[in-house]
Amino acid sequence: PLQDFTTGGALAITDNAKNIVIGGYDVGSGPIPSGAIVSLYSTNPESSSLFPWRTSCIIKPIGENKVNLGQQMSMTPDGLTLVASEVISPSIFRTNYASNLNIYTGNGSGMWGLHQVFSGQSGSFINNLNIARDGSTIIAGIIGDNTAGEDAGAAYIYKKNYYNDWDLFQIVTGIDGVSGRYGISVASNNDGSLVAMSSEWANNRSGSALFYKTSSDPMRFYRDDNFYGSRPTVNNISVALTEDIN
C-alpha cells in the first residue's frame, strides 16, 4: 500500500495520464522510512481495471540525513523532466534543515534517473516548485529567503542551457523590507517567459501576488505591476497561470 511510505507528499501526472508520480514524506516507519518518490505507470490508463497503474520505479534519498524526498514536486506533461525537493536534516556539519533541488530525467515510461542537484543553503526550505510545460524553466519558491529583507521570500529561477542542464538564472524577490514570505506558491506559463509568486503575509497578512516577465535586453526578469494580481488580494496562498498567457 502506498500509505506505507507516502504521507503528505506532492503529486504530479502526465497529460496522457500514463505516469503518476507521488512524492514521499518521512513517516518514521514502513519499508522506506526516509520518504521516497514513487512512479506509477500504465500503458492503458483508461482500462476498466480498478487500478491500471503499477509501480515502475521508486526513487530513494541518496546519502545521510536526506528525508522527505518529493515533499514539493513538479513534472512536465510529457513525463520527461521531474523536479523535486529533498530535505536535509541537521548534522554535525549543518545546524539547520535545508532543501536540495533535485532534477530527474525520464524515458516517458515511468522510469527516472537523477540528472542534476542544486544544494540548498542552511535554513532554507523549498516551499513550492513549478516547471514550465516545455521544460525550459524551473521556479523554486522559498518563503524564508532574506535577500530582500527578513522573511521577504523569493523565487529562484533556473533556465535550461545548450547542454540540457539547468543554471540558476535569476533570483526574484518579494518587496524590499516587507516580511511577505513570497514564494509560498509559484507558477509559470508554457515557455517560462512569465513567472508568478504569491505571498501569505504581505499587505497586513492579506497576501498578494507578484508577476515577472522576461526582457531581451538585458535578458532578465523584471516585475510587471500592470497585472491585476500584483495588487493585494485576500488570503492569497496559491497562484496559477494558463499556459498561453504572456
Side-chain angles (χ1 to χ4, degrees):
L2 294 178
Q3 61 264 28
D4 280 352
F5 49 88
T6 55
T7 303
L11 180 72
I13 187 169
T14 54
D15 271 359
N16 61 14
K18 289 185 175 182
N19 193 191
I20 301 174
V21 181
I22 304 170
Y25 194 78
D26 186 3
V27 297
S29 62
I32 309 175
S34 293
I37 293 174
V38 180
S39 177
L40 306 175
Y41 186 76
S42 172
T43 57
N44 184 16
E46 297 181 358
S47 168
S48 59
S49 171
L50 180 62
F51 195 79
W53 296 271
R54 296 293 180 264
T55 301
S56 54
C57 74
I58 296 176
I59 307 171
K60 301 179 182 180
I62 300 175
E64 297 293 330
N65 304 306
K66 304 289 182 64
V67 296
N68 299 359
L69 176 59
Q71 188 173 359
Q72 301 296 332
M73 199 166 55
S74 183
M75 179 171 58
T76 53
D78 56 10
L80 298 180
T81 309
L82 172 71
V83 293
S85 65
E86 180 179 51
V87 177
I88 309 171
S89 59
S91 67
I92 59 174
F93 304 105
R94 186 190 300 270
T95 58
N96 296 314
Y97 282 90
S99 291
N100 284 347
L101 171 62
N102 293 358
I103 304 174
Y104 302 87
T105 51
N107 65 354
S109 298
M111 298 297 294
W112 296 93
L114 181 62
H115 179 84
Q116 196 172 356
V117 176
F118 288 95
S119 299
Q121 301 300 313
S122 179
S124 68
F125 275 103
I126 295 175
N127 299 96
N128 199 236
L129 278 174
N130 179 270
I131 185 168
R133 288 181 62 88
D134 67 358
S136 65
T137 308
I138 299 169
I139 308 105
I142 301 177
I143 63 176
D145 188 87
N146 298 322
T147 302
E150 185 176 0
D151 286 337
Y156 284 59
I157 301 174
Y158 302 84
K159 284 285 190 180
K160 198 172 188 178
N161 60 32
Y162 176 80
Y163 301 99
N164 288 322
D165 295 323
W166 283 261
D167 300 312
L168 178 60
F169 178 77
Q170 189 176 343
I171 302 173
V172 295
T173 62
I175 300 172
D176 289 350
V178 176
S179 297
R181 293 165 66 90
Y182 282 93
I184 189 69
S185 180
V186 293
S188 67
N189 62 348
N190 182 62
D191 61 0
S193 60
L194 174 66
V195 302
M197 65 176 177
S198 64
S199 158
E200 61 176 348
W201 277 11
N203 301 297
N204 295 318
R205 301 198 178 189
S206 64
S208 72
L210 300 177
F211 294 82
Y212 298 82
K213 297 182 69 174
T214 52
S215 62
S216 57
D217 187 22
M219 184 61 182
R220 62 181 295 273
F221 284 86
Y222 67 95
R223 196 168 81 209
D224 189 343
D225 291 330
N226 293 321
F227 278 87
Y228 175 81
S230 297
R231 63 191 69 181
T233 57
V234 179
N235 296 325
N236 190 351
I237 296 297
S238 297
V239 62
L241 296 174
T242 58
E243 62 182 82
D244 58 347
I245 189 172
N246 52 32

